[in-house]
Amino acid sequence: LKKPELRQNLVTRQWVIISPQRANRPHDFEKKENKKETLPRYSPKCPFCRGNEKWEGSAEVLRIGDKKNWRVRVIPNKYPVLLKEGVREWQVSGIKRKMTGIGIHEVIIESPWHNLSPALFSQQQIIYILQAYKKRFREIAQDKRLEQIIIFKNHGEAAGTSLIHPHSQLVATPIVPYQIRFRYEEAERYFDNTGRCVFCQILAEELSAGERIITQNKHFVSFVPYAALSPYHIWIFPKVHACSFQNITLSEIKDLASILKDILARLYFGLDNPAYNYIIRSSPLDISQSDCFHWYISIVARVTKSAGFELGSGMFVNPLPPEESAKFLRNVKLD
Ligand SMILES: [Zn+2]
Ligand SMILES: [Zn+2]
């Protein structure tokens, strides 16, 4: 691909400009972020470090491992975007539409150690983290005031993290946010028109094309989407159709941990620990079975910045053709 090309993401109907002449080579995007090797394993000031827990009056909601030697902890976010207590109240008056700011905001502390990059976690540690995600998801899904759960991770300053200690977050909202609603509606439309899940369709075609696949195992596939918004934008899809993350089985969790560890290691070693976000996209909570929606993980390496054109058009410019992103990541040498 030499000339610019517009590509459409079937999941969002969003257009992206693949613009290779704006880039030089993959290593131009490499950017050092947050080198953890120079940080201490334990920091006396860090609230997430093992040894600094405030067990008295602790609001801990989940712990994996025993009290002293815990592996993963989940605690309420100290500065939540939404408050847990309250009634879901919806009000419309003229142009004003509002709802009480209720919801859940939790922090998943991914490791007892301050300086360990998630790319270097053991597979077992990632299994614990995914099990914590699942447990919290299933429990919070029982709260009838809430409509959506978003689990995400910000790694590195450019990805918006404020604390270095490895952690991810869960936010449950009383409405279905635009990003999910829009995807869900598109998936329904696609299903109405074709009788197929758009995600299953993408998966089948990506597997047969092969050029954007990074890696796969029994239950999961990682690949760079055809209309990737930015360099090294990665999707991880479960191979078997399922609309919600909350029904993931233990053998699927093991495979997901393995593929996630592999992808994070490819980013870490191939691009020298770039900042990234990952998001688990799952169906709205009132939809427990759906033939049209398919849960997945989106990983966005923060190696390019969006600016006025993106804000003005909603259209991203990706200087690295998705096939080249995939090839680069496929070829990263791991031990
Ligand atoms: Zn810490
Ligand atoms: Zn599907």
Side-chain angles (χ1 to χ4, degrees):
L1 190 65
K2 292 277 186 291
K3 288 184 188 163
E5 178 175 282
L6 275 79
R7 292 188 183 182
Q8 191 177 30
N9 179 340
L10 268 192
V11 171
T12 58
R13 286 211 293 173
Q14 196 174 13
W15 287 93
V16 58
I17 304 177
I18 311 291
S19 190
Q21 75 287 358
R22 285 173 64 87
N24 303 313
R25 292 170 60 187
H27 67 250
D28 286 343
F29 303 112
E30 291 173 15
K31 190 159 166 280
K32 287 185 186 180
E33 262 311 322
N34 204 5
K35 290 299 266 185
K36 297 201 176 206
E37 297 87 290
T38 55
L39 294 166
R41 187 172 156 94
Y42 166 79
S43 162
K45 285 184 185 154
C46 172
F48 297 166
C49 275
R50 188 188 274 171
N52 298 350
E53 309 87 354
K54 292 197 174 59
W55 298 116
E56 300 306 316
S58 165
E60 179 185 83
V61 286
L62 176 71
R63 182 190 333 123
I64 294 182
D66 58 39
K67 195 164 175 178
K68 204 168 156 220
N69 290 309
W70 58 267
R71 301 292 173 168
V72 172
R73 292 178 74 221
V74 182
I75 57 172
N77 192 308
K78 206 175 165 191
Y79 306 96
V81 293
L82 294 165
L83 296 178
K84 193 177 175 193
E85 310 304 332
V87 182
R88 184 181 185 278
E89 258 171 15
W90 167 246
Q91 272 182 33
V92 181
S93 151
I95 60 160
K96 292 187 228 156
R97 229 174 239 218
K98 62 179 182 179
M99 188 178 287
T100 37
I102 54 151
I104 308 272
H105 191 173
E106 295 179 346
V107 176
I108 298 96
I109 306 170
E110 297 171 351
S111 162
W113 315 125
H114 193 68
N115 61 345
L116 194 59
S117 192
L120 306 177
F121 287 166
S122 67
Q123 186 181 341
Q124 184 57 53
Q125 187 66 26
I126 300 179
I127 291 172
Y128 292 143
I129 295 165
L130 294 173
Q131 284 176 320
Y133 288 173
K134 179 184 174 181
K135 277 190 181 150
R136 292 310 299 146
F137 195 119
R138 290 181 73 91
E139 194 170 320
I140 292 166
Q142 302 304 313
D143 187 331
K144 297 297 171 213
R145 303 171 306 160
L146 304 172
E147 291 192 349
Q148 185 71 45
I149 294 174
I150 299 127
I151 294 173
F152 62 96
K153 177 172 177 65
N154 307 329
H155 174 80
E157 219 180 314
T161 196
S162 48
L163 285 169
I164 282 166
H165 194 115
H167 67 285
S168 34
Q169 300 179 62
L170 178 155
V171 174
T173 57
I175 49 106
V176 179
Y178 172 79
Q179 288 271 3
I180 295 291
R181 170 186 292 233
F182 194 77
R183 280 170 176 74
Y184 196 85
E185 287 172 358
E186 277 308 305
E188 261 183 334
R189 193 196 319 266
Y190 189 90
F191 190 85
D192 285 345
N193 291 340
T194 65
R196 290 207 66 178
C197 159
V198 63
F199 302 91
C200 286
Q201 183 72 32
I202 289 171
L203 197 58
E205 288 189 24
E206 288 294 356
L207 283 170
S208 91
E211 58 182 343
R212 284 172 297 275
I213 302 287
I214 305 166
T215 147
Q216 58 171 312
N217 55 31
K218 188 175 170 215
H219 295 292
F220 290 90
V221 184
S222 65
F223 62 102
V224 177
Y226 170 73
L229 297 182
S230 54
Y232 317 111
H233 176 196
I234 298 159
W235 280 351
I236 299 177
F237 278 19
K239 284 185 178 170
V240 173
H241 180 87
C243 72
S244 176
F245 170 75
Q246 67 174 312
N247 298 322
I248 189 170
T249 64
L250 181 59
S251 68
E252 287 167 340
I253 282 183
K254 288 178 180 167
D255 265 10
L256 181 57
S258 150
I259 207 160
L260 195 55
K261 177 176 164 60
D262 178 274
I263 287 297
L264 296 182
R266 284 172 197 278
L267 291 172
Y268 184 88
F269 292 109
L271 296 168
D272 203 9
N273 194 16
Y276 63 82
N277 301 99
Y278 69 63
I279 305 128
I280 300 179
R281 296 202 188 280
S282 186
S283 61
L285 296 179
D286 64 344
I287 297 163
S288 56
Q289 291 293 327
S290 161
D291 290 333
C292 70
F293 195 79
H294 195 122
W295 77 269
Y296 66 105
I297 297 181
S298 183
I299 304 173
V300 180
R302 302 300 290 261
V303 291
T304 52
K305 285 203 166 72
S306 55
F309 176 70
E310 285 82 357
L311 273 177
S313 64
M315 200 152 66
F316 283 80
V317 178
N318 181 354
L320 189 64
E323 296 71 31
E324 285 180 34
S325 279
K327 189 176 169 196
F328 178 86
L329 291 169
R330 248 190 335 259
N331 290 338
V332 172
K333 294 271 172 289
L334 301 175
D335 297 335

